[in-house]
Amino acid sequence: MTAAHTFAWSWSLGWTLLVLPVSLAFLRGRAPAWLLRRVTPRMLRMRGVAGLVLWASAVTSGLFPLVGARTDAWYPVRVLTGPVAVLAAILLVAVTDTVERRRRRKAPAASQ
């Protein structure tokens, strides 16, 4: 086993142990109390989806060296699972947060 393989395995394991459980908890609507006060359930779910996208991107980028996919034939797949996936996750969270904050501002006052 080379140093590149060791790094790829530890990279994938680290992302799986740190990001995957948090993302799945967000998808199920579980979060710390301080976060639940700040976000809506939709925002929390979208952060979970974005976390899963980041996790998948990190794990696949770590697995490419393990399977020997270093050729130019895999370049489009590497681009899609790398920077494009990260940008998609960032945009997903940003757009959802913006829409939910605007929706909160426009919500009618509750009658008493």
Side-chain angles (χ1 to χ4, degrees), residues 38-91:
R38 292 180 175 191
V39 299
T40 64
R42 183 176 294 146
M43 290 166 71
L44 194 62
R45 282 192 308 269
M46 286 303 116
R47 288 178 183 184
V49 170
L52 287 177
V53 169
L54 290 174
W55 171 78
S57 171
V59 170
T60 54
S61 70
L63 291 179
F64 276 128
L66 293 176
V67 297
R70 296 175 188 229
T71 62
D72 289 337
W74 286 94
Y75 183 73
V77 177
R78 291 179 75 139
V79 168
L80 286 176
T81 60
V84 173
V86 172
L87 286 174
I90 291 170
L91 284 174

